Each structure stands twice: as C-alpha cells, then as structure tokens.
C-alpha cells in the first residue's frame, strides 16, 4: 500500500510560480511511475506530468510543456511539480498518483494510488 500526501498549493497571481510536493510512503519500488493530475470544477481529472522513480524519462501534457517540470528525490521519497508562468486556467485541485507499471500512464485509470489533492488557484 502506497500512501501519498501532497503539499504546496495556494493562491498565486498569473505569471507566478508554485512548487508542489508529493511525499510517498510504502513500497515505491523502481518500477513505479508517479503522475500529477489536476481537476477543475465541472471537468474531468486530466494528466499533467509523469515520471518514473528511476531513470530520467518524463512526460508532460501539451498544456504545461515548457512551464511545468516534474522531478523526484529518491532519498526523500518525494516527487515535485515546479509550476512557472502560471495561468488562470491552471486553477484546479492537483493530485499526486502512483502505480506499479513500467510506462507512464496518461489517464487516471492507469494509477492505483492517489493523494488527497492540493488546491492551486491562479488569479488574473
């Protein structure tokens, strides 16, 4: 059982930055992939970025490429999402997810474990 806890959300003006953290506990082996998703009111949960615990492979949604960066600190069992040049349309609850798979999944159904989410609000 993997337990995920997100932090770092908040209110920021457009053009600003935030860094989200996802602390993982439990068996996060080298075969796990970690993902960040977001869900805005009235919308489906959407993929933002993904990374494997080991290796350098990452994947981003087109909407965040060049603005967001996903990274991980294996020693701290933590995954980060650095968000720069934030836009009002980035406003959502951001969720961390984990799954014992080899390839980075792009849909919510690809992930077994989820955190509780952290709110990100970008004002115009």
């Amino acid at each position: 059982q993997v337990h995920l806890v997100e932090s770092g959300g908040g209110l920021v003006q457009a053009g600003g930055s935030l860094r989200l953290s996802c602390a993982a506990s439990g068996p996060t082996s080298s075969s796990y992939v970690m993902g960040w998703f977001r869900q805005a009111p009235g919308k489906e949960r959407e993929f933002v970025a993904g990374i494997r615990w080991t290796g350098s492979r990452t994947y981003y949604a087109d909407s965040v490429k060049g603005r967001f960066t996903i990274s991980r600190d294996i020693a701290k069992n933590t995954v980060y999402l650095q968000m720069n040049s934030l836009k009002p349309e980035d406003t959502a609850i951001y969720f961390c997810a984990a799954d014992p798979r080899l390839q980075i999944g792009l849909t919510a159904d690809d992930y077994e474990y989820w955190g509780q989410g952290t709110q990100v609000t970008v004002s115009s």
Side-chain angles (χ1 to χ4, degrees), residues 22 29-37 47-60 69-74 78-81 96-99 101-106 111:
C22 172
S29 73
S30 60
S31 63
Y32 271 65
V33 295
M34 304 294 295
W36 284 99
F37 285 74
F47 174 83
V48 175
I51 191 170
R52 291 194 61 183
W53 268 117
T54 58
S56 60
R57 185 173 181 84
T58 57
Y59 196 85
Y60 297 92
T69 303
I70 188 171
S71 62
R72 79 276 185 266
D73 186 327
I74 295 174
T78 300
V79 176
Y80 304 98
L81 185 68
C96 178
D99 196 81
R101 58 190 292 120
L102 295 177
Q103 301 298 323
I104 296 172
L106 303 183
Y111 293 82

Side-chain angles (χ1 to χ4, degrees), residues 3 11 15 22 30 46 53 58 60 72 76 78 84 89 94-95 102 107 112 114 116 124:
H3 186 57
L11 173 64
C22 172
S30 60
E46 65 173 357
W53 268 117
T58 57
Y60 297 92
R72 79 276 185 266
K76 294 184 178 180
T78 300
N84 299 328
E89 51 264 44
Y94 283 70
F95 297 89
L102 295 177
T107 70
E112 181 174 358
W114 292 86
Q116 83 287 350
S124 57

